[in-house]
Amino acid sequence: MKAWISKQQIFVRSLAWLALVLGLKLVVHLLGLEALVLSPLHATAVAGGFFILGFILSATIADYKESERLPAEFTAIVENMYEDALLISRRHPFDIAGFREGLLAALDSLRDDM
């Protein structure tokens, strides 16, 4: 199973839920069990709810895409830092082994957090 949901799947699922809600509304209307009469205010509130939900879903999908890139970018940055440290240590010696252990600890911390 995919870890993310495509925009088309969200659209299809939304249509399915819409059909279910409209079907239930029709059944309640035909049976005369409506406790609330629809008004323009009610329709506006429902439309606003779907509008906000759309914003939330679009932001969530963007966050998932960003989170997929984070480990690779972090690893590349740590690798670049180590290569830079190796070059610097040629001219200005320092504890490169300790620096490497610190970078590995940062990578382990990222892995543990994910």
Side-chain angles (χ1 to χ4, degrees):
M1 184 174 171
K2 294 181 181 176
W4 53 273
I5 298 174
S6 70
K7 291 180 183 179
Q8 292 80 13
Q9 287 174 326
I10 292 174
F11 179 70
V12 170
R13 287 182 184 184
S14 297
L15 283 180
W17 278 104
L18 177 65
L20 177 68
V21 169
L22 288 177
L24 288 173
K25 171 68 176 136
L26 180 63
V27 168
V28 167
H29 177 71
L30 292 175
L31 295 175
L33 300 174
E34 289 180 297
L36 199 73
V37 178
L38 286 181
S39 69
L41 180 61
H42 182 262
T44 303
V46 171
F50 278 110
F51 186 71
I52 301 270
L53 185 62
F55 272 128
I56 291 171
L57 289 176
S58 67
T60 302
I61 289 173
D63 288 343
Y64 278 122
K65 288 180 180 179
E66 185 66 28
S67 69
E68 289 174 351
R69 287 192 300 260
L70 179 71
E73 288 179 1
F74 190 77
T75 304
I77 290 169
V78 168
E79 184 179 1
N80 288 337
M81 288 172 64
Y82 182 68
E83 289 173 359
D84 290 345
L86 281 175
L87 292 174
I88 292 170
S89 70
R90 290 182 186 169
R91 179 159 242 178
H92 305 284
F94 68 95
D95 181 21
I96 193 74
F99 184 72
R100 183 177 185 273
E101 291 302 319
L103 291 176
L104 290 175
L107 288 172
D108 287 339
S109 176
L110 176 70
R111 188 179 319 123
D112 292 342
D113 287 343
M114 293 198 165

